[in-house]
Amino acid sequence: MTSLPDPWPAPRATGPVDAVVTLPGSKSLTNRALVLAAIADGPSVVRRALRSRDTSLMAAALTALGSAVDTSGEDWTVTPAPFVGDATVDVGLAGTVMRFVPPIAGLSRGTISFDGDAHMRSRPVGEVLTALGELGVRVEGTSLPFTVHGTGSVRGGTVVVDASASSQFISALLLAGARYEQGVDVRHEGKPVPSLPHLDMTVAVLRHHGVEVDDSDANRWTVAPGTVRAADHVIEPDLSNAAPFLGLAAATGGTVTVRDWPRETTQAGDALREILTLMGCEVALTDAGLRVTGPTELQGVDLDLHDVGELTPAVAALCALARTPSHLRGVGHIRHHETDRLAALATELGGLGADVTERPDGLDLRPAPLTGGVFHTYADHRMAHAGVIVGAAVDGVLVEDVATTAKTFPDFPGFWSGLF
């Protein structure tokens, strides 16, 4: 990719945008598939794998532990092997790597050291590490950097966690649980678990590998001990990454079709269909994909985004362009994502003229004229998505560090610019 100016001038639409988009694969599905393939009973293929920084970090982590991960083609082959020897894992800015790899590192025979980008040192992982200690894994540290001392097996059993900050705390334990001697019985105590669709995704991927999972009780998930069967995956498009593209249709009164939108999915991004309809868009799921046509004027919304918090930045950007007030709530947990997304959105949208009030668990936005200026991203790809959406409708928006979008979408700036 060619070097980009920083801050990057976000393309301004001169009229309704009309585009058909093919998205890269889902990061969430790719990384779950890679983890399970690495502890399966034979080789697995992850077809149409997302090639991005987060997934490359996961592949590198699993390779460091001992698996062979061939990422040379569009379809990635994972050949599991015993985890033997010491290793160092770079989690970068990937929450899935920081949280999903330690539970399988407990199965290794070696000392596994974890560290990552400076921004990651404030992201919570202590619940996972404390739970591992209770399940029989020796762990040094409760935040990055930390070390897992593997003995080749993990006792497992029952553990209580507070997953109100991230559903990944539960997913991390479930993904490794079948390989533990007693399996795992994970019970949540605390405020409601956010992003439940991601837990549904974890359960579905486990079952695809033949793992017995019981999620019939509220706030309790059990994984029976047993074999993780080798299984191939075909990765769906990343529907959360569709947010800026469908937002482009909404912001410009244009039409954007995202190809290969699944008719059934566990991805949180599927909620965009309902959200954009509420904002006045015409939304149709066709054989060609999901087609969204934006209205003449966007309508504000009153939404609880607790289960789909990752969509908040893109939705907030559209609310800042709407002609009526909006109230976004239920997303206090996104303060612990790549950055404090609520504070960042209030600051950056406000800096462009938006009338926005930050609440403990959300944002209130009222109609106001927006102007150009620098939109900071805080090394957060979703913040960059919010910036380019506003930039499509407002002159002179400059997005700082737009390259952070490589976390889940390689060459996003070039792809985005090609739509105008």
Side-chain angles (χ1 to χ4, degrees), residues 28 66 75 79-80 82 97 107 135 165 174 178 210 215 231 280 291 314 316 321 326 341 353 356 384 416:
S28 297
D75 301 335
T79 304
V97 179
L107 297 166
L135 294 170
L174 299 184
D215 61 346
R291 184 180 68 245
L321 299 170
S326 295
R341 284 178 172 167
V356 55
W416 182 260

Side-chain angles (χ1 to χ4, degrees), residues 73-227:
E74 181 182 6
D75 301 335
W76 295 5
T77 300
V78 183
T79 304
F83 296 163
V84 179
D86 299 344
T88 298
V89 172
D90 176 13
V91 310
L93 277 172
T96 51
V97 179
M98 180 175 70
R99 294 163 181 157
F100 292 178
V101 177
I104 65 169
L107 297 166
S108 69
R109 290 188 179 275
T111 298
I112 315 300
S113 302
F114 290 78
D115 204 353
D117 293 7
H119 278 279
M120 286 299 283
R121 296 190 174 187
S122 61
R123 291 193 69 183
V125 70
E127 285 287 327
V128 174
L129 304 182
T130 299
L132 287 178
E134 295 174 5
L135 294 170
V137 180
R138 185 162 75 90
V139 181
E140 290 183 64
T142 57
S143 61
L144 278 177
F146 59 84
T147 303
V148 174
H149 298 275
T151 60
S153 65
V154 177
R155 183 189 69 248
T158 300
V159 68
V160 177
V161 299
D162 180 355
S164 55
S166 175
S167 65
Q168 288 182 3
F169 298 167
I170 295 171
S171 287
L173 301 172
L174 299 184
L175 287 168
R179 290 287 307 276
Y180 292 178
E181 294 169 4
Q182 301 174 19
V184 290
D185 182 343
V186 183
R187 306 178 187 197
H188 163 70
E189 288 186 0
K191 295 179 180 178
V193 179
S195 305
L196 283 175
H198 284 95
L199 271 174
D200 295 337
M201 179 187 295
T202 297
V203 170
V205 174
L206 282 164
R207 288 174 175 159
H208 183 68
H209 279 267
V211 175
E212 182 181 336
V213 187
D214 184 350
D215 61 346
S216 58
D217 293 341
N219 296 318
R220 181 182 181 185
W221 298 260
T222 61
V223 172
T227 300

Side-chain angles (χ1 to χ4, degrees), residues 318-341:
L318 291 174
C319 291
L321 299 170
R323 71 176 185 87
T324 56
S326 295
H327 308 281
L328 306 180
R329 48 199 165 77
V331 286
H333 60 281
I334 70 171
R335 294 186 182 279
H336 307 291
H337 283 195
E338 281 80 344
T339 186
D340 180 340
R341 284 178 172 167

Side-chain angles (χ1 to χ4, degrees), residues 5-12 348-349 351-352 371-378 383-384 386-392 394-403:
D6 194 11
W8 183 69
R12 171 73 158 94
E348 300 309 316
L349 291 173
L352 300 182
T371 60
V374 176
F375 190 96
H376 297 91
T377 63
Y378 308 84
M383 286 295 297
V388 299
I389 289 172
V390 175
V394 176
D395 290 327
V397 174
L398 304 170
V399 179
E400 174 261 345
D401 189 21
V402 73

